[in-house]
């Protein structure tokens, strides 16, 4: 008569935000993911667009739309609104290994995200690892310590050599997709079976003698 049926609601698209200080390589990382040749300061978005849209094949073989947004690194942290952050299902925090300040600000970015988003899905990119190590201001060990403290995955990346870019995007998009799936338990009532059961229930009426 009554049965439970699972209703799985799958997202048709995943929005990913690229967040970090100015000049950490957000635009180059977006272009690298799309297969563009490395160019400094090449715009990420087509004219008139505030996002980039492409197709993404999940590990399960399904295909969805991937939308990539870039946060302007020159904005003050307090100007990032709740509405702005909530659109992202996944966030890639990015710092430049040759810029200590961009690394130090990662914690502030993370705090701002946590303030505005419940259970944010975040990963960390230590970017520009192709640059010779004598110019590094942050070690991978320091980056790992921060990632462990924030309990998020770390990827060593370079938009120039493409190191870690595909792996990072694959991780965050697949993970965001899995966490966005909603499963509802619906109660299904078969009206015909219910009607039949009522008719056969043998409702008795008292007859006067």
């Amino acid at each position: 008569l009554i049965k439970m049926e699972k209703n799985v609601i799958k997202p048709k698209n995943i929005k990913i935000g690229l967040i970090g200080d100015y000049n950490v390589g957000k635009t180059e990382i977006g272009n690298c993911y799309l297969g563009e040749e490395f160019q400094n300061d090449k715009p990420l978005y087509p004219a008139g667009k505030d996002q980039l849209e492409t197709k993404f094949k999940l590990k399960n073989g399904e295909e969805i739309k991937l939308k990539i947004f870039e946060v302007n690194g020159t904005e003050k942290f307090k100007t990032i609104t709740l509405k702005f952050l909530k659109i992202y299902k996944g966030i890639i925090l990015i710092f430049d290994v040759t810029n200590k300040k961009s690394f130090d600000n990662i914690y502030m970015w993370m705090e701002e995200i946590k303030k505005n988003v419940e259970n944010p899905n975040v990963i960390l990119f230590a970017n520009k690892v192709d640059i010779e190590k004598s110019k590094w201001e942050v070690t991978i060990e320091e980056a790992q310590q921060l990632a462990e403290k924030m309990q998020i995955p770390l990827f060593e990346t370079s938009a120039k050599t493409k190191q870690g870019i595909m792996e990072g995007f694959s991780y965050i998009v697949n993970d965001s997709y899995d966490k966005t799936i909603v499963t509802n338990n619906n109660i299904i009532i078969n009206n015909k079976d219910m009607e039949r059961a009522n008719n056969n229930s043998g409702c008795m009426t008292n007859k006067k003698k």
Side-chain angles (χ1 to χ4, degrees):
L1 301 178
I2 300 175
K3 64 179 181 177
M4 300 294 289
E5 185 178 87
K6 286 188 176 182
N7 181 31
V8 180
I9 303 172
K10 298 179 180 180
K12 294 181 179 179
N13 63 72
I14 291 292
K15 298 180 178 70
I16 300 295
L18 306 180
I19 296 180
D21 282 7
Y22 176 72
N23 205 30
V24 295
K26 298 186 296 292
T27 298
E28 290 77 13
I29 284 171
N31 285 326
C32 176
Y33 175 74
L34 293 170
E36 300 282 347
E37 289 299 316
F38 178 81
Q39 293 182 47
N40 283 317
D41 301 320
K42 181 179 179 181
L44 177 61
Y45 311 121
K49 299 272 187 176
D50 64 351
Q51 67 182 36
L52 189 79
E53 188 173 302
T54 187
K55 292 179 180 179
F56 183 90
K57 192 169 185 179
L58 297 161
K59 288 182 179 178
N60 64 13
E62 294 182 37
E63 193 174 83
I64 61 169
K65 286 182 181 178
L66 171 61
K67 297 182 179 182
I68 304 171
F69 297 77
E70 179 185 320
V71 174
N72 185 343
T74 60
E75 292 184 65
K76 292 182 180 179
F77 300 127
K78 291 182 180 178
T79 64
I80 302 172
T81 64
L82 172 65
K83 180 181 178 181
F84 195 65
L85 287 172
K86 274 204 173 260
I87 66 172
Y88 307 136
K89 297 301 180 185
I91 293 172
I92 301 177
L93 271 177
I94 304 165
F95 76 91
D96 173 358
V97 294
T98 68
N99 184 336
K100 184 69 160 53
K101 186 178 178 181
S102 72
F103 174 73
D104 293 338
N105 284 341
I106 285 293
Y107 185 76
M108 286 188 284
W109 282 111
M110 190 65 170
E111 287 302 299
E112 191 68 28
I113 292 165
K114 284 181 176 180
K115 252 193 281 180
N116 293 303
V117 183
E118 186 178 354
N119 298 320
N121 192 25
V122 184
I123 63 174
L124 180 64
F125 275 12
N127 196 38
K128 302 189 183 181
V129 295
D130 58 281
I131 296 175
E132 60 181 86
K133 288 197 174 182
S134 62
K135 295 181 180 179
W136 287 24
E137 295 181 359
V138 182
T139 67
I140 291 302
E141 290 72 27
E142 288 173 316
Q144 288 171 337
Q145 288 174 6
L146 180 62
E148 287 172 10
K149 185 177 181 180
M150 296 193 300
Q151 297 183 316
I152 60 176
L154 170 69
F155 293 83
E156 298 175 40
T157 62
S158 165
K160 193 170 186 178
T161 66
K162 301 183 179 181
Q163 178 182 335
I165 303 293
M166 296 304 173
E167 293 85 349
F169 269 92
S170 178
Y171 178 92
I172 192 67
V173 178
N174 278 285
D175 195 48
S176 298
Y177 177 86
D178 291 341
K179 289 177 178 176
T180 307
I181 292 175
V182 176
T183 303
N184 296 321
N185 289 320
N186 295 332
I187 298 176
I188 307 299
I189 300 175
N190 189 317
N191 290 329
K192 288 184 178 180
D193 287 348
M194 185 66 76
E195 188 178 325
R196 193 179 300 117
N198 288 335
N199 291 336
N200 295 334
S201 62
C203 294
M204 301 295 291
T205 56
N206 291 325
K207 293 182 180 180
K208 293 182 180 179
K209 292 182 179 179

